[in-house]
Amino acid sequence: MRPESTNGAGGTSGGGLAVPMAWLCAEYLADEVLRAAALVAPGSLEHRAGLQALALTVHLSEEPGGPAHGRSAGRIDEWLRHTAYDRPWPPWVEERLAARRAAGGGGPDLALAEAAWRRLRDTWVRAADLDGRTADDAGSPVDEDEQIWLPAWKLGLPLAHLSLHLR
């Protein structure tokens, strides 16, 4: 990759390594939120899926070249809206990535975000079927022995959402 920046300021600096500061900040913030929630073990497949889903949400919520990722209540509310169960998260991710590609402001941040999306979309995991519940099942616990194959984002997104609530 060609250098985008060597200091995170977004400008081109002669001959240095590209530093994807926006992506690294989003990933760091996502990791902090997931670790604080303590819902899954760090390093587990679930943690990785939640980390990538939340980092994508944080990163793509920002405008390219916008301000650094903050923790204001408004930003957290926005991330909660994007990760909510009834929201079409995958199309939103695809649209935001396409918009960034079209704007030509990709660089290493976009490359890492696209790689995270490919992993979440293309990696399939076996997990409890939360979508298969009916209204009759509302009061009963989920049978974790009844598992189905699903894309990793379907495992990571609810974990990211719940972790944001528990922050």
Side-chain angles (χ1 to χ4, degrees), residues 22-45:
W23 177 258
L24 293 175
C25 288
E27 202 169 48
Y28 175 79
L29 190 131
D31 190 51
E32 268 192 358
V33 169
L34 287 168
R35 286 177 189 268
L39 295 171
V40 294
S44 67
L45 179 64

Side-chain angles (χ1 to χ4, degrees), residues 116-134:
W117 174 235
R118 278 191 306 277
R119 280 190 301 273
L120 284 170
R121 183 193 61 211
D122 298 344
T123 301
W124 287 71
V125 296
R126 283 195 52 85
D129 182 12
L130 299 178
D131 286 339
R133 295 178 56 111
T134 64

Side-chain angles (χ1 to χ4, degrees), residues 102-116:
D109 290 307
L110 180 60
L112 289 171
E114 288 177 326

Side-chain angles (χ1 to χ4, degrees), residues 127-129 142-147:
D129 182 12
V142 172
D143 183 0
E144 293 189 32
D145 290 332
E146 290 185 35
Q147 296 188 343

